[in-house]
Amino acid sequence: MDVDMENNVFMLAGPVKMHPRVLKAMQMPAIAHRSAEFKEVNREIKELLHYLFQTKARVTVLNGSGTAGLDAAISNLLKKGDRVLNIANGKFSERFYEISKVYANPTLYSVEWGKAPDIDRVAELLEENEFKAVTLCHNETSTALTNPAKEIARLAKKHGAFFILDVITSLGGIPVDFDGWGVDIAVVGSQKCIAAPAGLAAVAVSDEAYEALHSDGSYYLNLKAHLDKMEDKNDTPYTPATHLYLAFREALRLLKEEGLENRIARTHRLAEATRAAVKAMGLELFPDPNYASDTVTGVWYPEGIDDSLRKNLREKHGVVIAGGQAHVKGKIFRIGHMGICDFTDLLPTIGALEIELQNMGYTGFNLGDGVEEVLKRMK
Ligand SMILES: Cc1ncc(COP(=O)(O)O)c(C=O)c1O
């Protein structure tokens, strides 16, 4: 089969498959960004974000990918000299540290990739030092691991630190309790569980964090300006990427129509099926299985198999999955199962994986072992 970009099985950990309604939403004539029509788009997005984040706290949309949201969180809440604890066990939690180095005074608590942070060690660090904020990546996409956000939020709150949470690949796929856990700033990306095009970040900010925001960190990513415009006027400080907003609204509508709980439950069933399938094929999860993510599954390549597996999947079967990043590049592969993808996407993914693993000489299972696990859960 030739690679056919319009008709493949797209199982990355974001960007993800998009619904035809989302694609159609972008086929609109130009829309004036200061018109009543666009304010209505923004108003609905605000309402849908309150639903997605399950909070009445202030929300806004930034023009930029998820990293723009992380940058805005740090640069608008912290200043040079402010101490921040960055808990890092993967590429994206490390990004918080990189950003914090630019704007604040960070301390890195580095954990082996694929392992969860030691809660007692986090408690100790918070006892020993006075941090203004703690950062955590809820779902560490690079290692396919979900961090214990609730426990770490509790510790941050106990020590009076703001809790900044990257929910870029968790919100809309894994439960997040913004108010209940006491999250101060949460950032989500459009191209992950929401299944919209890449290019927007949505941010929710607690009242306490809102009061502490300053405007010295960034001119363009001035979080307070974005929050105020959205809150008061359903407006944006600068020209928004109008057609991305239209697609984002449609993707959020689809999420609400399915229901947040239902989407989370479906994502969980897909994750369980993926984990069972790779286990039945004799493969090993990369992260600690106790913390395996529901939105992406990370798997060690078995001996003798390398990253050309992904090329074969793509070129021969039109199945697109992700590889490893940084030092685990070529050592692991990752299957994304968030957003609107379903068993009808997972089944050919596992089927093609079986065929190509066997073609490449891996003999750890009988053809159909993985697929059977998916079928059992598809009923
Ligand atoms: C958990 C997490 N945080 C941050 C990012 C960075 O987001 P973006 O690439 O949209 O800037 C990603 C991207 O994959 C991610 O998965």
Side-chain angles (χ1 to χ4, degrees), residues 13 65-68 70 92 95 137 139 141 166 168-169 191-192:
S65 69
T67 307
L70 304 181
F92 297 109
R95 184 162 299 176
C137 176
N139 190 68
T141 323
D166 170 339
I168 287 175
T169 51
Q191 79 276 27
K192 309 287 188 177

Side-chain angles (χ1 to χ4, degrees), residues 7 46 60 72 78 85 99 119 130 148 156 189 230 234 248 252 280 305 341 348 369 377:
N7 188 29
K46 180 169 74 180
T60 196
L78 304 178
L85 176 64
I99 298 171
I119 299 292
E130 207 169 302
M230 182 68 135
N234 301 316
F248 190 52
L252 287 167
I305 306 293
C341 89
D369 285 352
R377 288 163 179 84

